[in-house]
Amino acid sequence: MKRISRFINTKPLTIRMSVFYSLLVIGVLIMVVAFLYGYFVAEIVDRTTSYTGQILFQAQKTVENNLNNVDQLSRLILSNQQVQDYLSDAKRKEEFDQRQQEKEIEKICVDFMVVRQDITSIGIYTLDGYYVSADNFYYLGERFEEVFDKALEAQGRMKWFFKADGKNSVIAARTIYDINIQPIGMLVITYNRGAFEGLFQNNLRGTAGDYFILDEDGTIISTNHSDLMNAQFEPQLPKTSEDNFISADVYGTPCKVMIFGSEYNNWTYLCAIPQESLSPGIPTILAYSMLILLIFCTVSVIIAVFIAKGITKPINQLTSALQSIDIQDLHFEQYSGTDEFSYLFKSYNEMLNKIRQLIHDNYEQKILQNEIQIKMLNMQINPHFLYNTLDSICCLAMENQDWKIAKAVKALADMMRYNLSGSGGEATVASEISHSENYLAIQKIRLGDSLEYYIDIDDSLLSQEIPKMSIQPFLENCIQHCTSKMQGGKLLIEVLGYRKDRDYLL
């Protein structure tokens, strides 16, 4: 650093000023460009994630609305009287032609499937595993007991689950109850998983994210990556997040992951956005930022050199005139400008007229004058600035609920206001007592329980005039001389005021 300092100090003032102003402006420009670059990058990332999150949320709501519609459809089947009669053992035994009754049930299933193209099959199971359905029904077989147990656990609600078996079906099962709320059968609906893909592709078109629908066990039900279908999602992520997206490596790719949990069927909806696709315009922004920075830096250096030369030119002129050590060799200098340097040259020329005969007297007078100016400036400090500053500190302490500091600062402000107020030498007993109470309050904060004080002044004395600062100096003297001798004890101060005949006593 010393070598650099010596090197800089040996250079002409023009070069030093040019370098200084150039570095100053370039530094400011770099900070501004860096701030704007960071701001725009963060804004792009934030808007991208926010936009994708909104789209994913809408896609989730669309999917769940479809599932809710299926839920409502299932209620119509459960409440159908023919379904109730068929599942009732007593009703079934009374029927002469059971096959005719099954055909009616099959027709009901077909009619409902026509309404919903995303439903691949509807079937009704009896408690013993026998089923009636339309064509292409997803037969549960050995899984009947497993599905029926899960439907019973749902207690009448629709139970959605996914099995990655040969048919990769999304199954909705619901227990059918009779009028006595006893289970008499089960409704099984298989849902077309391809409907999820259509809904998500329509909603997420134009985004860079990959979507995933996971069941409650973390198995991928639907995704735009066919090779990941039916697999366990990696890594394991929470089903919900406070800010709806987290950073994670999804199958080896750093991503921002949007997470929306479903309260309807415990599914999880994810959208993984690769980090590199969050800000596709960042390289362009960086290039433009560097170009703008280069242009402004070049212009700044040129302007800095121009300004430095304009400042140093008259200085160099005066320097040349003052190079002579002998005062007699000094000569007048002419300056044609009208800026601040014109005053400098004028002062220089006036100085030459007086310098030979007044140099010593003028030197001493200047010193004395500077001292007087400093004292006058010190005396001109507005006491209200001090009051307002203390009041501001008091308010700040009150906002932070630091009542001790607030009380101490308030008492100190009142004391200073009292000391600096007015120019007379008299005050009332009431104002003196108030001033003394402020002083004691400050000392109480410092000494705590070691100090106790009691003030009892007759009301008739409060308006009586006494010399200003008559009481507080006694209190200060008492505290200063007694606290060092207490040795763990307490100091009790009593201030009493009363009339006696025509006099009053304090």
Side-chain angles (χ1 to χ4, degrees):
M1 291 298 296
K2 291 183 178 180
R3 291 183 178 180
I4 295 175
S5 178
R6 285 197 299 267
F7 175 78
I8 293 175
N9 291 332
T10 57
K11 298 301 178 183
L13 182 60
T14 303
I15 296 178
R16 284 189 284 170
M17 292 186 66
S18 300
V19 172
F20 173 76
Y21 285 123
S22 299
L23 292 177
L24 180 63
V25 175
I26 291 173
V28 173
L29 287 174
I30 290 175
M31 288 189 291
V32 171
V33 171
F35 170 78
L36 292 176
Y37 173 77
Y39 172 79
F40 283 115
V41 169
E43 188 71 14
I44 291 173
V45 172
D46 181 67
R47 290 191 178 187
T48 302
T49 54
S50 176
Y51 173 72
T52 306
Q54 292 175 4
I55 293 178
L56 177 63
F57 180 74
Q58 293 299 327
Q60 175 201 3
K61 291 303 179 184
T62 303
V63 170
E64 294 194 350
N65 284 337
N66 281 7
L67 299 184
N68 270 310
N69 291 336
V70 175
D71 195 316
Q72 297 298 324
L73 178 67
S74 70
R75 296 176 186 271
L76 298 176
I77 299 176
L78 299 182
S79 61
N80 186 277
Q81 188 60 45
Q82 290 179 310
V83 174
Q84 289 283 330
D85 292 343
Y86 174 75
L87 293 176
S88 172
D89 290 337
K91 291 284 184 181
R92 196 186 313 159
K93 290 176 182 178
E94 293 176 2
E95 293 290 341
F96 177 77
D97 189 0
Q98 181 177 342
R99 180 57 189 161
Q100 183 64 29
Q101 192 177 20
E102 291 176 353
K103 288 184 177 180
E104 292 294 330
I105 301 298
E106 291 175 2
K107 184 177 182 303
I108 293 172
C109 295
V110 171
D111 291 342
F112 280 106
M113 287 177 61
V114 171
V115 177
R116 300 284 308 194
Q117 296 182 356
D118 50 359
I119 296 177
T120 57
S121 67
I122 300 176
I124 297 175
Y125 275 85
T126 63
L127 293 179
D128 54 6
Y130 184 77
Y131 73 93
V132 178
S133 70
D135 295 336
N136 299 321
F137 177 63
Y138 178 78
Y139 178 58
L140 296 176
E142 296 179 354
R143 296 176 52 204
F144 170 77
E145 294 294 336
E146 174 192 355
V147 175
F148 186 70
D149 289 342
K150 289 188 176 183
L152 283 176
E153 292 176 0
Q155 298 180 348
R157 296 187 300 274
M158 184 73 79
K159 177 66 177 178
W160 292 87
F161 55 95
F162 170 73
K163 286 296 180 183
D165 52 11
K167 297 183 179 181
N168 297 330
S169 301
V170 178
I171 304 172
R174 191 171 207 156
T175 306
I176 304 175
Y177 294 90
D178 61 11
I179 58 175
N180 298 319
I181 317 180
Q182 295 296 322
I184 58 175
M186 179 175 64
L187 171 67
V188 176
I189 299 175
T190 54
Y191 190 82
N192 181 11
R193 187 170 58 172
F196 296 148
E197 300 175 6
L199 292 173
F200 270 87
Q201 287 176 357
N202 289 334
N203 282 276
L204 293 175
R205 184 180 291 113
T207 64
D210 299 323
Y211 80 90
F212 299 88
I213 302 179
L214 313 181
D215 67 4
E216 56 189 6
D217 298 324
T219 304
I220 299 176
I221 300 175
S222 180
T223 178
N224 55 333
H225 285 282
S226 58
D227 56 330
L228 299 178
M229 201 79 76
N230 308 333
Q232 285 290 118
F233 183 80
E234 296 179 2
Q236 293 184 353
L237 299 174
K239 291 189 176 182
T240 57
S241 176
E242 292 182 358
D243 53 1
N244 290 336
F245 69 89
I246 59 176
S247 298
D249 288 343
V250 178
Y251 297 102
T253 303
C255 297
K256 285 285 188 181
V257 183
M258 309 286 177
I259 304 176
F260 290 99
S262 172
E263 297 181 357
Y264 172 67
N265 54 9
N266 292 328
W267 288 359
T268 304
Y269 298 80
L270 303 178
C271 183
I273 308 175
Q275 292 278 10
E276 60 184 13
S277 64
L278 281 174
S279 49
I282 287 180
T284 303
I285 295 176
L286 180 60
Y288 277 111
S289 299
M290 297 303 297
L291 178 61
I292 292 173
L293 179 62
L294 179 62
I295 293 174
F296 274 94
C297 288
T298 304
V299 173
S300 300
V301 171
I302 296 174
I303 294 175
V305 172
F306 179 77
I307 293 175
K309 287 185 176 180
I311 294 175
T312 57
K313 183 178 179 180
I315 295 177
N316 292 333
Q317 184 179 349
L318 275 179
T319 303
S320 300
L322 293 171
Q323 284 180 349
S324 177
I325 299 177
D326 190 355
I327 296 176
Q328 299 297 330
D329 293 336
L330 295 178
H331 54 276
F332 292 103
E333 292 291 335
Q334 300 297 324
Y335 181 72
S336 59
T338 58
D339 52 17
E340 290 81 357
F341 287 107
S342 64
Y343 176 78
L344 182 61
F345 276 86
K346 180 180 178 181
S347 300
Y348 167 77
N349 292 328
E350 290 177 354
M351 178 192 67
L352 292 182
N353 291 326
K354 302 177 181 180
I355 194 170
R356 292 186 178 91
Q357 65 273 16
L358 299 176
I359 186 168
H360 296 290
D361 295 339
N362 189 48
Y363 178 76
E364 294 177 357
Q365 186 178 0
K366 287 290 184 181
I367 294 177
L368 181 59
Q369 184 179 357
N370 289 338
E371 291 178 352
I372 293 174
Q373 288 178 348
I374 292 173
K375 291 181 180 180
M376 291 179 64
L377 289 175
N378 290 333
M379 293 176 64
Q380 290 175 359
I381 295 177
N382 190 349
H384 291 289
F385 170 77
L386 209 49
Y387 304 155
N388 295 336
T389 302
L390 291 174
D391 288 340
S392 299
I393 296 173
C394 179
C395 292
L396 181 61
M398 293 173 67
E399 289 177 358
N400 292 320
Q401 297 185 354
D402 196 333
W403 307 115
K404 285 187 177 182
I405 292 179
K407 183 177 179 181
V409 173
K410 180 65 170 59
L412 179 59
D414 290 342
M415 286 183 64
M416 295 188 66
R417 187 176 287 107
Y418 180 78
N419 287 336
L420 297 176
S421 63
S423 58
E426 290 186 347
T428 62
V429 173
S431 59
E432 278 294 287
I433 290 299
S434 176
H435 178 66
S436 300
E437 286 180 333
N438 287 327
Y439 172 75
L440 289 173
I442 295 174
Q443 295 300 326
K444 178 67 175 176
I445 293 173
R446 180 174 70 90
L447 298 176
D449 294 335
S450 299
L451 173 62
E452 297 290 338
Y453 59 90
Y454 172 77
I455 299 176
D456 185 10
I457 304 296
D458 193 329
D459 292 341
S460 61
L461 299 183
L462 296 178
S463 61
Q464 180 66 42
E465 290 188 347
I466 60 174
K468 195 172 183 180
M469 301 297 291
S470 295
I471 301 176
Q472 186 266 338
F474 288 97
L475 300 176
E476 182 176 356
N477 199 38
C478 178
I479 291 175
Q480 288 183 353
H481 288 284
C482 291
T483 51
S484 61
K485 301 177 182 179
M486 288 191 299
Q487 297 180 353
K490 290 187 177 181
L491 171 61
L492 173 62
I493 298 178
E494 295 183 1
V495 181
L496 306 178
Y498 55 92
R499 286 190 178 276
K500 186 176 181 181
D501 298 331
R502 297 176 61 185
D503 301 324
Y504 63 88
L505 299 179
L506 290 175

